[in-house]
Structure formats: structure tokens, C-alpha cells
Amino acid sequence: MPAIVLIGAQWGDEGKGKATDLLGGRVHWVVRYQGGNNAGHTVVLPNGDHFALHLIPSGILTPEVTNVIGNGVVVDPAVLLDELSGLEDRSVDTSRLLISADAHLLMPYHVAIDKVTERFLGNRKIGTTGRGIGPCYQDKIARVGVRAQDVLDESILRRKVEAALEVKNQILTKIYNRRALDADQIVDGVLEQAEGFKHRIADTGLMLGNALDRDEVVLLEGSQGTMLDVDHGTYPFVTSSNPTAGGASVGSGVGPTRITVVLGILKAYTTRVGSGPFPTELFDEQGAYLAKQGGEVGVTTGRARRCGWFDAVIARYATRVNGITDYFLTKLDVLSGLETVPICVGYEIDGKRIDDMPMTQTDIHHAMPVYEEMPGWWEDISEARTFEDLPKTARDYVLRLEELSGAHISCIGVGPGRDQTIVRRDILA
Ligand code: GDP
Ligand code: IMO
Ligand code: MG
């Protein structure tokens, strides 16, 4: 039985939460492998209940699934406890959530530094979620981070926080003119929070390896998306981790040869939150139309998402860097009611046509989309359950995206609900 990776093919918010939830009934484990509470994943249950998850894997809403916060995730203990109690208040069983002993903990100084650095950057800012994600990963790579397992040894925790604060307080007070933070206060706070989660800390890499040996199905759930990947995205306007499929192995401890399916989640148009290049972005009433029809408001920060047409250059790139075997095309219903639907098939950069993602940041900033127009459809497709239920022009749009993207579109979303999905090919078969 395989390990499956589920990743965003664009700039996040493609509908990963819904896709994980849909597969939830058929997998034994759901693992988050990178990011933190910068993510916002929406799940709408068949009874209409609506959940917004940030740190906890979307599999928590499916009974019988064991959920893992993998070693590649950065965990803010306060957010973790809040999210757990919010779920428990709504009668969700949270007993099946484990946290990797190697996951890094996000400290109050990470949030403080995220906010001041963004302010300092002014109009060059990344537009981060302000959740401390970048600074926490900086500490991980600089080997001065605090990990979940450190709460099990108070003296180690204290030494690590004190050492980190020696430098952070210099930065906060001398560069940014902020107040210094107190190590004892932070450590005491984390130890108190740990009472609420330390029983969940486990050697999750070992458990996942054993589960795969027992033929159980493991779903590795990505956050963010390919174009926000620190290596493969639109750097520096990216997040500080690797959402791409390679990151799934690193961030979970599941060896790459055990991954047999890579499911890309692809929105039928494009959105982006925060700063950075976006070749197909619309600044006119058509962009406003997509934003309104698609309800394009960030789940984590409440910011309006920037909207634009489908970009096949990005889809082809996502297929390549992730080794995507199947796509789940979401939000096709949002495009109903358009006379024609443009698809960006390539870019023109300084008068030259190119079909692949440009090599340099300068070129992507200069990229002008080259559009092909497809006829639109007027029908409400939210009740379609088979490919044949879709109007011919909608089917042609999907088939053209499939051709341009270079991977099979196996599922199509026609609404936010779990049942509002067309399955063309069973990815678990
Ligand atoms: P994620 O971050 O990738 O999990 O996506 P978000 O939850 O941030 O944003 C996706 C939004 O689209 C959510 O509000 C979902 O409920 C919604 N959604 C997912 N699939 C579909 C679909 O096929 N059609 C429509 N109309 N909405 C969808
Ligand atoms: P999900 O999992 C969309 C964006 C931020 C910003 C950049 C860096 O819901 O798809 P960070 O706080 O990570 O340092 O911000 O990344 N960003 C997201 N955009 N969806 C997300 O998550 C995002 N997580 C981070 O807006 O541009
Ligand atoms: Mg989201």
C-alpha cells in the first residue's frame, strides 16, 4: 500500500483541505509535513458543518484516521491548544493526533520578529501571515531551534530558550527598538502549555514506517503550494519551507521510494495572497468577478486573495517539480457564467515567447501572459456528479487543461461540499 502526497500546484488555497477530507475515509494516516499555522484549510462536511483548520491535519474530521504533525512542521503551542479545544467544543475526537518529537516549536519571539521585519521591509515586504513561520524555520536551519521533545527535559528547554533570547533580544531592542522578552516567562509558559500536548509527542517517523509495512495507507498533506516553495517558488515571495513533493519525504520521515501517488490540487483559475509576481493577475471587473464567485478571502488572515486566469505554465511546472501523477481540479463551478474562459498557455518576455517557467526573477516579473480563449458555459454545474453531466464546453475546458498540464485530471470539484466532486479515475485503485 502506498504513501500518497497531496500538494497545492499554485500559490496555496487550491482546496487541499477538501481533497484530504474526501480521501480521509480511505486512508489510515494523514500527515502534515511542512508549514505551520500560516495554513488555512476549509472542510465542509456532508451535514453542512464548516471547519477551518490551521495546524491540525484535515484528517482529524474523519473517524479512524490517525493524524500526525510531522517533523517538518513548525508548531505554535498556543495555536495547537486553541485549535484542539475548538474542535473538542464541536465534539470532534482529537485523541488520534500525534506530534513528531522532532517538530520545531514556534516561540513568541518568532512572531515578534516576523512582524517587525515585515514592517522594516516597507514596500518590499513579503506579505507574510505574521505567524512567525519564517523566523522559526530560520532558527531550525541555524540549529538554535526548540523542538517538541525539548518540553520533556526542562533543563534543555531552558538552556535553548536562554541561548536563543541572548541574540533575539539584541535584535529586538537594538535594531527594531522593541521590548526584550523574558526567558523564564517564555519557558514557564511553554511548560504549562506542554501539559496539554506532551502525551501526543511520538517517534512518528518510526510509526509511519511500521504502518506502511502493515500495508496501511498514509496521506502526506501539504500546505501552501508549489509556487510558495522556498526552493521552487517565486523566491523571495515564498514561505520558508518545501511544500513540493520532495518536502513530503523530508518532513515526515517516510522514504521517497514509498511514495507512489502525487496528487496535485489545482484551482480552475489562479489566486495568490501576499506580495510577489503573478502573471495572469486581473485588476479589472473580471478579477472582482472571480473573487466574488469563488469567495476568495484568506482563511487565516482574512485578506482578499488576488485573482487571475488559469496559468498552464505554472501547472506544467508543478507537474514536473512534484512528479504529479494525478490532478484534482477544484472550483470549476466558479467559472460558470462566463462568455469565454481565457487560459494562459505561455508567456511573452521582452518580445520572446516562452512555454516554461522562466529561469530568473527578473523574467517572471516581466512575463506577459499569452492567452487562448475557450468558450464558456452558463449552466450551474454544482449538481454534476459524472464527467458526462458537465456541459460540453466545460468538459472541453477540463480536457484542454489536462493536455496543457501534462497529468491526468482525475477528480473535479464542483462545490465546497464533500459530495460535490466528480471522480474520473480512482487515484487509490
Ligand atoms: P486550502 O488551503 O488549499 O485547503 O484551501 P482553502 O480552504 O484555503 O480555500 C479553498 C476554498 O474553496 C474553501 O473555501 C473551500 O471550501 C472551497 N472549495 C474547495 N473546493 C471547491 C470547489 O470545487 N468549488 C467551490 N465553489 N469551492 C470549493
Ligand atoms: P494554505 O495551506 C496562501 C503566503 C503568505 C505570504 C507568503 C509567506 O492555506 O494554502 P509566511 O507567513 O508563510 O511566511 O508567508 O506565503 N502563504 C499562503 N498563501 N495559502 C497559504 O496556506 C499560505 N501560507 C502562507 O500570504 O505571501
Ligand atoms: Mg488555505
Side-chain angles (χ1 to χ4, degrees):
M1 275 292 187
I4 302 160
V5 181
L6 185 155
I7 43 130
Q10 294 145 325
W11 277 288
D13 303 322
E14 298 90 350
K16 299 176 291 292
K18 173 180 157 168
T20 303
D21 176 63
L22 189 72
L23 291 169
R26 300 175 62 198
V27 305
H28 302 93
W29 300 73
V30 176
V31 186
R32 274 279 306 269
Y33 59 84
Q34 46 71 230
N37 62 297
N38 47 350
H41 299 168
T42 317
V43 179
V44 183
L45 298 186
N47 64 5
D49 277 2
H50 187 282
F51 288 86
L53 296 160
H54 297 285
L55 196 49
I56 296 177
S58 311
I60 200 77
L61 299 171
T62 310
E64 315 300 330
V65 170
T66 306
N67 291 273
V68 173
I69 294 182
N71 59 276
V73 176
V74 291
V75 181
D76 183 327
V79 173
L80 174 71
L81 296 181
D82 257 14
E83 202 164 321
L84 281 169
S85 67
L87 289 168
E88 284 155 10
D89 287 348
R90 296 177 68 185
S91 307
V92 175
D93 174 12
T94 63
S95 62
R96 294 159 291 100
L97 175 73
L98 300 170
I99 303 165
S100 165
D102 295 338
H104 278 247
L105 293 185
L106 203 143
M107 296 284 135
Y109 43 85
H110 295 134
V111 180
I113 291 173
D114 193 355
K115 292 193 170 143
V116 288
T117 29
E118 280 282 278
R119 216 167 298 145
F120 197 73
L121 282 169
N123 62 9
R124 289 173 299 128
K125 71 173 192 272
I126 311 283
T128 72
T129 58
R131 302 297 194 267
I133 306 297
C136 187
Y137 278 113
Q138 280 173 34
D139 278 5
K140 171 177 175 172
I141 301 305
R143 297 163 295 186
V144 293
V146 176
R147 294 188 294 173
Q149 59 181 285
D150 296 332
V151 304
L152 306 176
D153 185 333
E154 182 178 338
S155 72
I156 282 196
L157 177 69
R158 208 166 282 283
R159 281 211 303 272
K160 287 191 174 174
V161 173
E162 279 167 2
L165 270 186
E166 262 176 43
V167 181
K168 309 290 180 227
N169 276 338
Q170 301 279 337
I171 296 171
L172 283 170
T173 57
K174 300 207 172 129
I175 301 178
Y176 296 112
N177 206 17
R178 301 280 134 176
R179 273 212 316 272
L181 298 169
D182 179 60
D184 286 335
Q185 206 179 339
I186 291 176
V187 171
D188 294 346
V190 173
L191 288 172
E192 196 184 318
Q193 289 163 333
E195 291 307 312
F197 69 82
K198 69 181 184 195
H199 59 288
R200 299 179 186 274
I201 298 172
D203 186 347
T204 54
L206 175 65
M207 294 169 86
L208 292 170
N210 289 341
L212 286 164
D213 289 345
R214 288 194 302 270
D215 274 351
E216 292 176 6
V217 184
V218 173
L219 177 64
L220 304 166
E221 179 193 32
S223 288
Q224 291 84 50
T226 303
M227 301 311 287
L228 287 171
D229 185 285
V230 68
D231 283 271
H232 302 292
T234 44
Y235 189 92
F237 301 102
V238 291
T239 193
S240 298
S241 64
N242 290 111
T244 49
S249 181
V250 177
S252 64
V254 168
T257 52
R258 309 205 81 158
I259 296 168
T260 53
V261 177
V262 180
L263 177 64
I265 315 300
L266 189 62
K267 209 181 272 197
Y269 50 98
T270 314
T271 63
R272 170 162 208 173
V273 191
S275 321
F278 178 178
T280 63
E281 183 168 14
L282 294 165
F283 299 95
D284 55 12
E285 69 283 357
Q286 287 187 303
Y289 179 82
L290 290 178
K292 182 159 180 290
Q293 296 295 112
E296 296 297 352
V297 174
V299 180
T300 298
T301 57
R303 287 180 289 177
R305 295 174 181 153
R306 302 156 62 192
C307 295
W309 299 124
F310 185 87
D311 186 334
V313 179
I314 288 176
R316 268 196 300 279
Y317 180 67
T319 305
R320 171 164 63 85
V321 298
N322 296 295
I324 286 172
T325 55
D326 296 81
Y327 272 117
F328 189 146
L329 184 73
T330 61
K331 300 191 113 167
L332 185 66
D333 54 302
V334 172
L335 297 179
S336 289
L338 295 165
E339 193 88 49
T340 57
V341 195
I343 301 174
C344 166
V345 292
Y347 299 145
E348 197 179 292
I349 301 173
D350 301 331
K352 231 176 99 197
R353 162 77 188 255
I354 66 146
D355 293 328
D356 288 303
M357 191 56 67
M359 184 178 80
T360 65
Q361 186 187 351
T362 308
D363 279 355
I364 182 120
H365 278 281
H366 291 178
M368 301 295 291
V370 175
Y371 286 116
E372 178 181 295
E373 302 267 339
M374 297 286 290
W377 59 95
W378 297 93
E379 295 87 338
D380 172 0
I381 59 169
S382 61
E383 301 297 324
R385 294 296 176 268
T386 68
F387 194 54
E388 289 64 39
D389 289 343
L390 294 173
K392 177 160 187 324
T393 46
R395 291 202 302 269
D396 288 345
Y397 181 72
V398 173
L399 294 175
R400 184 66 181 133
L401 298 194
E402 185 169 83
E403 187 175 35
L404 290 165
S405 308
H408 194 261
I409 294 179
S410 298
C411 305
I412 302 163
V414 291
R418 195 186 267 173
D419 60 328
Q420 291 180 297
T421 305
I422 295 170
V423 178
R424 293 177 70 208
R425 178 163 88 184
D426 183 358
I427 66 147
L428 291 177

